[in-house]
Amino acid sequence: MDTFEEIRVKGFADEYIDPSLDLFAEIEKLKKEKNAIILAHYYQEADIQDIADYIGDSLGLSQQAAKTDADVIVFAGVHFMAETAKILSPQKKVLLPDSKAGCSLADSCPPHLFKKFKAQYPDHLVITYVNCTAELKAMSDIVCTSSNAIQIVESLPPEQGIIFGPDRNLGKYVAKKTGRNLVLWNGACMVHEIFSREKITKLKERYPAAKFIAHPECEESILEMADYIGSTTGLLNYVTKNPAQAFIVATESGILHQMQRDNPAKTFIPAPPTNACACNDCPHMKRNTLEKLYLCMKNELPEIFVPQHIIVKAVKPIERMLEISARLGL
């Protein structure tokens, strides 16, 4: 087994695994032995989604992390998601298969710079998208997800000034839908910023009956083309309920696994990005693998820690989000 320091540097436990080992069976065994739960985001690889106890978007994962009675939470996602679980369940052990699984959106908003930005608007409330660091959440009044951002903004008095960060694209979308004048931090997600309007237009010509659906983290020029805009859960519900037989999907490609599993007779086409490889995978989400998940559970490393003073401040805006969501039935 790697030492704690080796795991800290690499970001994951790296040891030999017998290729004949049934990792699915071993992980199930470890779950029972350790009273562990695996929470996975829709953007994880298919094997991880299939072994998870709960698969969801950021809101659903936060709700699960808050109410689970497991002793160990294994978070198959990215770092800020595991931090959120630790903030909501500080007494539990929270594990992340690869601690280097970061987030380009979270990285686009360094807390020390946001602090200066926030100081320019002393009368404004701060709403931060959940895709941010624990330090940023600790500076916030309310946290939101793409599932509830519009409703949370609408729950505040019309005259209340609001700072919204870190995603400018989601912020612009929320401002447009609510008619509110939001002060936006200039951050973005690398995956949702690279979709090609030109290539999508050509794809729509090839599949004229296909519905084009997009996540609100996409740029405005992409959202203007969409038949439907929604969170990952919203997109999943839409393709199940809509009678169309083909969908062009503008979000991280991991979601296509659930879409296909729930709707085996329908066709799902990933929206093409501007890059040459024609893939729209999040390199951070895809750092997690079934092997890393197994070793993480076996060794109970890497473990996620959040300083107590950050937990005390960050839990309040997250709980406020969960309260508003529960009140609105989200």
Side-chain angles (χ1 to χ4, degrees):
M1 174 185 164
D2 287 342
T3 65
F4 177 83
E5 181 61 22
E6 285 172 331
I7 291 173
R8 188 190 67 79
V9 172
K10 289 179 186 173
F12 59 94
D14 185 16
E15 60 185 80
Y16 173 76
I17 300 175
D18 185 338
S20 66
L21 200 65
D22 182 342
L23 290 181
F24 284 92
E26 292 300 316
I27 289 169
E28 289 294 345
K29 194 189 302 179
L30 287 167
K31 280 199 286 190
K32 292 186 178 72
E33 284 175 10
K34 298 173 185 282
N35 188 26
I37 186 171
I38 299 174
L39 306 181
H41 194 273
Y42 288 123
Y43 296 167
Q44 292 293 291
E45 64 173 42
D47 282 348
I48 290 178
Q49 291 188 44
D50 290 343
I51 195 71
D53 298 290
Y54 178 84
I55 313 160
D57 62 6
S58 296
L59 175 60
L61 292 167
S62 297
Q63 290 166 331
Q64 289 294 320
K67 71 183 185 184
T68 182
D69 58 2
D71 296 318
V72 178
I73 299 172
V74 185
F75 218 115
V78 292
H79 200 273
F80 78 78
M81 295 177 175
E83 281 185 335
T84 303
K86 187 65 178 178
I87 291 165
L88 288 168
S89 299
Q91 75 284 5
K92 298 183 187 299
K93 181 173 282 192
V94 178
L95 306 175
L96 183 64
D98 189 329
S99 64
K100 303 286 187 183
C103 172
S104 59
L105 178 53
D107 291 345
S108 74
C109 191
H112 69 286
L113 295 181
F114 188 79
K115 185 178 181 181
K116 293 177 182 177
F117 181 74
K118 177 185 172 183
Q120 297 174 52
Y121 306 93
D123 298 328
H124 284 48
L125 283 180
V126 177
I127 299 178
T128 50
Y129 187 30
V130 71
N131 300 36
C132 66
T133 62
E135 290 90 341
L136 208 69
K137 291 181 177 73
M139 290 186 224
S140 308
D141 296 291
I142 314 176
V143 168
C144 74
T145 72
S146 55
S147 294
N148 59 24
I150 291 169
Q151 293 91 331
I152 283 175
V153 168
E154 288 179 336
S155 74
L156 299 172
E159 67 278 6
Q160 176 63 60
I162 298 170
I163 296 171
F164 188 95
D167 192 288
R168 63 173 178 265
N169 295 320
L170 177 61
K172 285 178 187 175
Y173 175 72
V174 171
K176 187 175 179 180
K177 297 294 283 187
T178 61
R180 301 291 287 268
N181 183 26
L182 307 180
V183 177
L184 304 179
W185 176 266
N186 190 28
C189 163
M190 62 186 287
V191 172
H192 290 95
E193 284 258 290
I194 63 169
F195 291 110
S196 165
R197 185 181 173 93
E198 182 186 353
K199 290 180 182 178
I200 291 168
T201 301
K202 289 178 180 175
L203 202 56
K204 282 166 70 79
E205 289 170 0
R206 278 180 59 198
Y207 300 93
K211 295 288 185 182
F212 175 54
I213 61 176
H215 192 281
E217 285 181 39
C218 295
E219 292 182 311
E220 193 171 8
S221 62
I222 301 298
L223 297 181
E224 287 169 353
M225 305 169 69
D227 296 298
Y228 175 78
I229 301 165
S231 67
T232 45
T233 296
L235 297 175
L236 278 162
N237 291 338
Y238 180 83
V239 301
T240 297
K241 293 174 182 174
N242 193 281
Q245 292 301 297
F247 299 85
I248 300 167
V249 185
T251 190
E252 211 275 350
S253 59
I255 196 174
L256 270 64
H257 176 65
Q258 285 300 314
M259 288 180 171
Q260 199 71 71
R261 196 163 79 165
D262 294 345
N263 306 276
K266 295 185 178 183
T267 301
F268 300 99
I269 309 146
T274 53
N275 61 27
C277 74
C279 58
N280 49 329
D281 290 348
C282 172
H284 301 288
M285 284 283 186
K286 296 304 193 280
R287 286 187 72 98
N288 297 316
T289 63
L290 195 65
E291 289 76 15
K292 288 179 183 176
L293 178 64
Y294 163 67
L295 291 174
C296 158
M297 295 184 71
K298 176 173 170 264
N299 300 315
E300 298 189 19
L301 289 169
E303 184 175 357
I304 298 300
F305 298 96
V306 178
Q308 183 60 29
H309 71 280
I310 296 290
I311 289 177
V312 169
K313 290 181 179 177
V315 74
K316 294 174 184 175
I318 300 172
E319 286 181 340
R320 193 167 175 191
M321 171 190 76
L322 294 174
E323 286 162 12
I324 292 170
S325 296
R327 190 169 73 239
L328 297 174
L330 299 174

